[in-house]
Amino acid sequence: QDCRNRHRECIREHARARPPSVAMAEAATEVGHKRPLEADVKEGHPAEPSARREEEEDPESRERDHFYDVCWSCFGYRDDALKEVARFQALCNSLSPEDMAIWGVDVPQTDSAMQMGIEMNSRFLQILPTPEVCGAYMSQRQEQDVFSVPIGHRIAGRNMSKVRTTLRQFVRDWAAEGQAERDATYTPLIQALERHLPAPALGSGARKPRVLCPGSGLGRLPFDLARLGYAAQGNEFSYHMLLGSHLIYNRTQQTNCYMIFPFLLSSVNRKGRADNLKSIKVPDVCPCLSLTADCDVSMAAGEFVSVYKDQKEEWDGIATAFFIDTAKNIFLYIRTIAEIVRPGGVWTNLGPLLYHYSDVENEISIELSWEEVRPAICKYFNIVEEERRNASYTMNSGSMMRTVFRCIFFTAVRNSEPVTGKSNPVY
């Protein structure tokens, strides 16, 4: 119980470490059409952000507004998903009796299965929001507002898309079905740290190497490192991910206690009729049960550079999985990593160069090749391992389509070169 309480306090760094400006920057990237929300609405909720214009210059207020938008998108999943059921019914109605006979689908049974899956997903998503994760101060009334969607509130299309990807992310990080992806992505990083920055045995009392995992998603990589004897910290920018990791770390008491249907709305590239109706149970391991009193794991919320830029030489290691291409300017990431890793420290990386902001209108996105990125890394690090590794990301293993990234995997040791120069602001 003492260990569980300590980890609960560590994870509350979600709120303490998240700079108010971060959510504003993330909110500014919201794109896509808006959908009306019709369910889970309570009357008497405070006015929408547009009606609180006098607070627009208050970073705390804007942080809360962004947090509300993310939480309310979790409550909006049911209505959004039911549109897919309506579309399925309309498609069935558009077919002739002869075509329906050839197809042989049991429409009422399929409709019922989809609605059941939607309800299970909705119940799961509605337990994600918690005021504890918000990076801004919240009064008791404001905390209650997290669970009360205002009448007429419209959810940004980007937020609704993130809700669906969050379900798939739970498979990647916290389901037995995601083990293959974790083996391809996290295992090489863990093994590299064990080779070049070994941790002492748990319970030995020796100092644990401090390892940072930026872009840690739902927090599986720092969890696995902590169990191996590292003092691991995850860092995440997305409130959807932070809410998910908070649930797993702090509010989950047993394994496989949640059932979700992460691929329910994916009707294309199915091999079997019911492939999209497959249920997944999470988590495959429970941090509250698996982390011993000697384990050291924490989470910090916020944009990577903003949170860590002043932590000079405080880290022994960095493990980045599918992270460096989330940079608007990758040189800024490289300088920051070089600044915070001590001389002799280790940086291990595995991921593509997809560049997160490359297709976001009016956003900075410096998109370099590996040939161009490598010299910038070598200014501050000596690369001791480098190869291509195949890896997937939130893949449906039963799908007929598979995206495989030929990732850059490297391990590098920090040299003694002082960090010089600076980048222009990107937020």
Side-chain angles (χ1 to χ4, degrees):
Q1 183 64 45
D2 291 341
C3 176
R4 186 157 57 245
N5 288 337
R6 182 166 63 83
H7 291 302
R8 182 175 293 108
E9 291 303 317
C10 287
I11 302 305
R12 282 177 181 162
E13 290 187 28
H14 280 327
R16 291 195 293 270
R18 185 178 177 91
S21 60
V22 171
M24 290 185 282
E26 186 179 0
T29 68
E30 295 292 309
V31 295
H33 64 284
K34 299 180 182 293
R35 298 178 172 90
L37 183 68
E38 300 170 358
D40 301 310
V41 176
K42 287 187 179 180
E43 295 188 10
H45 192 282
E48 282 283 79
S50 60
R52 299 196 294 268
R53 291 193 178 94
E54 69 277 4
E55 298 180 341
E56 284 183 354
E57 298 305 316
D58 176 15
E60 290 272 307
S61 175
R62 285 193 278 185
E63 178 80 2
R64 281 191 298 271
D65 288 342
H66 173 60
F67 182 69
Y68 284 145
D69 286 341
V70 171
C71 292
W72 295 339
S73 69
C74 295
F75 292 106
Y77 169 83
R78 181 192 289 112
D79 285 352
D80 184 68
L82 285 175
K83 294 176 183 177
E84 294 298 319
V85 176
R87 188 178 73 89
F88 169 75
Q89 294 170 338
L91 289 173
C92 291
N93 292 335
S94 71
L95 293 178
S96 67
E98 292 80 7
D99 288 345
M100 288 297 296
I102 294 173
W103 185 4
V105 64
D106 187 327
V107 176
Q109 184 181 50
T110 303
D111 182 271
S112 177
M114 290 182 67
Q115 295 205 42
M116 186 271 290
I118 289 170
E119 183 61 29
M120 295 292 288
N121 285 346
S122 180
R123 291 181 183 181
F124 175 74
L125 290 166
Q126 289 185 29
I127 65 175
L128 295 188
T130 173
E132 292 185 22
V133 176
C134 185
Y137 169 77
M138 304 187 89
S139 66
Q140 186 175 2
R141 174 59 187 272
Q142 288 167 334
E143 289 182 354
Q144 294 172 352
D145 292 341
V146 168
F147 309 102
S148 304
V149 183
I151 295 174
H153 175 71
R154 293 177 179 269
I155 301 171
R158 182 177 175 86
N159 274 339
M160 208 66 256
S161 175
K162 285 182 179 179
V163 170
R164 297 189 186 190
T165 58
T166 298
L167 290 171
R168 295 193 291 271
Q169 191 80 29
F170 271 99
V171 182
R172 174 179 171 86
D173 270 15
W174 295 105
E177 290 81 354
Q179 188 63 54
E181 276 197 20
R182 295 195 295 273
D183 287 344
T185 303
Y186 300 157
T187 299
L189 302 179
I190 293 170
Q191 292 174 342
L193 289 172
E194 290 178 321
R195 286 191 297 272
H196 300 281
L197 188 68
L202 284 171
S204 66
R207 179 186 177 276
K208 298 179 176 67
R210 299 187 71 221
V211 177
L212 177 62
C213 305
S216 58
L218 293 177
R220 183 59 180 259
L221 180 56
F223 166 78
D224 286 342
L225 287 171
R227 290 205 295 175
L228 293 172
Y230 294 93
Q233 183 171 99
N235 164 239
E236 181 53 50
F237 182 73
S238 165
Y239 265 138
H240 288 89
M241 296 293 103
L242 292 168
L243 290 171
S245 62
H246 188 278
L247 172 70
I248 296 297
Y249 273 95
N250 299 311
R251 294 179 282 148
T252 300
Q253 306 300 321
Q254 58 185 344
T255 60
N256 296 324
C257 58
Y258 307 115
M259 180 182 292
I260 59 175
F261 295 78
F263 308 110
L264 181 68
L265 304 180
S266 302
S267 58
V268 299
N269 286 305
R270 290 175 297 156
K271 183 178 180 181
R273 185 192 298 272
D275 283 358
N276 60 319
L277 304 177
K278 180 182 179 181
S279 64
I280 303 288
K281 290 184 177 181
V282 296
D284 62 324
V285 291
C286 180
C288 285
L289 301 177
S290 301
L291 294 171
T292 68
D294 195 40
C295 292
D296 188 344
V297 63
S298 60
M299 293 288 290
E303 193 275 323
F304 167 64
V305 175
S306 297
V307 174
Y308 295 98
K309 62 184 178 182
D310 297 323
Q311 299 185 17
K312 185 175 181 180
E313 298 182 7
E314 292 188 14
W315 295 92
D316 301 299
I318 302 279
T320 50
F322 281 73
F323 172 72
I324 61 174
D325 60 345
T326 66
K328 294 186 176 186
N329 179 353
I330 198 169
F331 296 124
L332 186 55
Y333 272 17
I334 294 170
R335 278 199 193 91
T336 302
I337 292 172
E339 187 73 36
I340 68 177
V341 176
R342 64 165 174 80
V346 174
W347 176 15
T348 184
N349 170 84
L350 192 148
L353 293 175
L354 185 62
Y355 294 106
H356 181 77
Y357 292 96
S358 63
D359 59 352
V360 179
E361 189 175 357
N362 300 322
E363 283 289 348
I364 296 171
S365 181
I366 311 301
E367 297 145 20
L368 304 183
S369 67
W370 172 241
E371 182 182 11
E372 296 165 311
V373 171
R374 194 180 190 280
I377 295 174
C378 289
K379 181 176 181 180
Y380 303 112
F381 292 86
N382 299 322
I383 295 179
V384 295
E385 297 177 330
E386 180 183 350
E387 60 183 283
R388 299 292 186 272
R389 293 284 188 108
N390 290 342
S392 300
Y393 196 89
T394 64
M395 177 192 66
N396 179 359
S397 60
S399 174
M400 295 170 63
M401 186 184 79
R402 177 173 300 185
T403 299
V404 178
F405 295 96
R406 295 195 66 229
C407 299
I408 299 293
F409 167 72
F410 69 79
T411 304
V413 178
R414 179 71 169 96
N415 59 32
S416 59
E417 181 72 21
V419 177
T420 57
K422 65 178 183 179
S423 299
N424 293 327
V426 293
Y427 289 107

